[in-house]
Each structure stands twice: as structure tokens, then as C-alpha cells.
Amino acid sequence: MYGSGLRIMEAVRLRIQDIDFSNQCLIVRESKGEKWRRTLLPRSQIKPLKVQIAHALSLHQQDLAEGYGYVYLPFALAKKYPQAATSAAWQYVFPARFRSQDPRSDMMRRHHIGEQQVRRAVAVAVSALNIRKKASCHTFRHSFATNLLRAGTDIRNIQELLGHNDISTTMIYTHVIGVHERGVTSPLD
């Protein structure tokens, strides 16, 4: 979430085909407002993501062997591409531990991990690290934008990476950067 500026649901909904290792980017589908966008894939996350994908594909092979392996497809893709629901490309990068019954179709499927699992894990990590500031999953997205600004990235590029329609939404991040970081110091110093 921090390295790519993803919202929590964008992270848990990542599909294997959404990771483009060769171009070091992620394709974010089913984003807020049903938009799609591309964002950064940090080099440091390539190896861990490849390990995670191997795990996801292993679960998928097990599901196929047991007569399952169908994943939910957005919109009418299941009708247009009947084989896509069992293809490796459409599987979630972060699959749920157990299969469950999909209320839309009554099929047994393996969905993605739940957002609450991720929220709890982040809360436990924040507590374990004795971080005394308010921090959540969305903090990673804010930190992504703020640190890109600090590094001199153009605000329009940040807008595109975050998927904001309006530049004024992205401009919110500019107030987070303190005046001391803009070269202003106290007269006492």
C-alpha cells in the first residue's frame, strides 16, 4: 500500500495479471469510481510478490484438483470469457485462506483476503512498534503521496498515480509537508 499508493481494497483485490514485473507497475482495477489506473511497483517488492504469487497459484492448483478454482470476475467477463474464471491470470494475489460460498452465484469460490484482516495486522504492527501516532492502512497512501512530493515529483504525476479526478484532492497532500521542509526556520535557530 505504501510503495504503490494503493487503497486497502485495491491491494486485496489485486489479480495476478495486474502485476507487470517487466514494466514495474501495477494495474489497479475496480478502483474507487470503477476506474482503472497504473501505479508504481517498487523493485523491493518484486521478489516478495513473486513468492506470494507462487503461493496463490499453489492454492489455485489445489482448488482445481478438488473441483473448484473458479474466481469471481467483474462485470460480464464470466459470460464473455467462460474459461477466465479458472485461469491463473485472474486469481487473486492475496487469496483467502478458505473457500466460501459466493452470495451472488451460490458457487464455492476462493475470494481475496478480507480488508479487516489487513487492518488488524497493521494495527498489531503499529502497536508492536510503539508508534505513538494515529496510523492505519490509509496512512500508507498518504505517506506515498507525501514522500513523492518531498522527493520533488510533479503533483500531476502524483494525481495520476493515486487516481484522483481533481487536482485539488491531490493538493491536500501539500499541506502535510511542514514549513521546515520548505526551508523556513525559526528566527531563534
Side-chain angles (χ1 to χ4, degrees), residues 148-169:
L148 286 176
L149 275 170
R150 281 186 182 130
T153 305
D154 179 70
I155 192 85
R156 295 272 181 203
N157 286 326
I158 297 170
Q159 175 189 9
E160 186 179 321
L161 292 170
L162 293 174
H164 292 155
N165 281 337
D166 194 334
I167 192 73
S168 64
T169 307

Side-chain angles (χ1 to χ4, degrees), residues 55-73:
H55 169 70
L57 290 175
S58 173
L59 276 177
H60 178 56
Q61 287 302 315
Q62 179 183 340
D63 287 346
L64 287 172
E66 294 173 10
Y68 300 99
Y70 289 85
V71 71
Y72 167 74
L73 295 178

Side-chain angles (χ1 to χ4, degrees), residues 92-124:
Y92 291 108
V93 174
F94 303 105
R97 206 166 165 198
F98 302 104
R99 293 184 294 255
S100 60
Q101 192 166 3
D102 186 339
R104 293 167 288 221
S105 66
D106 288 331
M107 287 183 74
M108 287 298 287
R109 303 179 192 268
R110 189 176 302 274
H111 207 54
H112 55 70
I113 60 171
E115 67 177 292
Q116 286 303 329
Q117 287 177 268
V118 179
R119 288 185 199 284
R120 277 188 226 108
V122 168
V124 166

Side-chain angles (χ1 to χ4, degrees), residues 5-160:
L6 298 179
R7 295 175 180 97
I8 187 168
M9 288 308 294
E10 294 169 346
V12 299
R13 287 181 179 159
L14 274 178
R15 311 276 184 146
I16 291 173
Q17 68 180 353
D18 297 338
I19 301 175
D20 185 345
F21 290 111
S22 60
N23 291 313
Q24 275 186 243
C25 69
L26 300 176
I27 292 107
V28 181
R29 303 170 198 270
E30 300 177 73
S31 182
K32 193 173 181 178
E34 298 301 321
K35 293 181 291 185
W36 291 26
R37 72 176 192 281
R38 289 167 46 119
T39 189
L40 306 173
L41 171 61
R43 270 179 266 147
S44 64
Q45 296 308 298
I46 290 175
K47 188 175 181 180
L49 276 172
K50 285 184 176 183
V51 169
Q52 180 60 35
I53 288 170
H55 169 70
L57 290 175
S58 173
L59 276 177
H60 178 56
Q61 287 302 315
Q62 179 183 340
D63 287 346
L64 287 172
E66 294 173 10
Y68 300 99
Y70 289 85
V71 71
Y72 167 74
L73 295 178
F75 314 112
L77 287 175
K79 287 183 182 179
K80 189 173 182 180
Y81 304 109
Q83 302 304 313
T86 58
S87 76
W90 279 98
Q91 301 306 306
Y92 291 108
V93 174
F94 303 105
R97 206 166 165 198
F98 302 104
R99 293 184 294 255
S100 60
Q101 192 166 3
D102 186 339
R104 293 167 288 221
S105 66
D106 288 331
M107 287 183 74
M108 287 298 287
R109 303 179 192 268
R110 189 176 302 274
H111 207 54
H112 55 70
I113 60 171
E115 67 177 292
Q116 286 303 329
Q117 287 177 268
V118 179
R119 288 185 199 284
R120 277 188 226 108
V122 168
V124 166
V126 166
S127 176
L129 293 169
N130 290 319
I131 295 173
R132 308 252 190 264
K133 295 180 180 184
K134 184 181 177 207
S136 67
C137 293
H138 204 70
T139 305
F140 295 125
R141 185 169 162 86
H142 281 271
S143 297
F144 170 80
T146 303
N147 287 327
L148 286 176
L149 275 170
R150 281 186 182 130
T153 305
D154 179 70
I155 192 85
R156 295 272 181 203
N157 286 326
I158 297 170
Q159 175 189 9
E160 186 179 321

